[in-house]
Amino acid sequence: MKSEKACDRILLAGNEGCRVLYCESCNVAELEIGALSLRLEVNAFQSLHELICESLQKISMVQQAKVTQEQLISQLRKIS
């Protein structure tokens, strides 16, 4: 029978309801959000990071476009 070593997790970051743990022997990052726990190999965790960063940039662009649109509409209403 193969004996499995228990993970020795290190807390990397955390706040209310979320945290990231790391197991060096498994090379796995564990993302905990409330009751949800997602174990990812480090390269997959890095890909998730890149995906989230790209998404946040696009959200910021959408929000800025909305502000710009609202400002333009406000200016047009003042002209009328």
Side-chain angles (χ1 to χ4, degrees):
M1 214 180 237
K2 185 177 177 182
S3 66
E4 293 185 25
K5 182 181 173 189
C7 289
D8 186 22
R9 293 183 229 156
I10 302 165
L11 178 63
L12 299 178
N15 58 27
E16 190 175 329
C18 299
R19 66 183 184 163
V20 177
L21 303 151
Y22 175 65
C23 176
E24 188 175 11
S25 62
C26 297
N27 198 34
V28 167
E30 186 170 350
L31 175 60
E32 292 182 357
I33 305 170
L36 175 70
S37 179
L38 184 60
R39 291 176 47 89
L40 299 166
E41 292 179 346
V42 171
N43 60 348
F45 188 71
Q46 177 65 35
S47 293
L48 178 60
H49 170 263
E50 292 166 5
L51 181 74
I52 289 172
C53 286
E54 180 182 345
S55 298
L56 285 170
Q57 287 176 340
K58 290 180 180 179
I59 288 170
S60 179
M61 289 170 54
V62 167
Q63 291 174 337
Q64 184 58 44
K66 183 172 181 161
V67 168
T68 301
Q69 178 187 21
E70 289 170 355
Q71 289 172 344
L72 288 171
I73 290 172
S74 177
Q75 289 174 359
L76 288 172
R77 286 186 177 143
K78 289 179 184 177
I79 294 172
S80 300

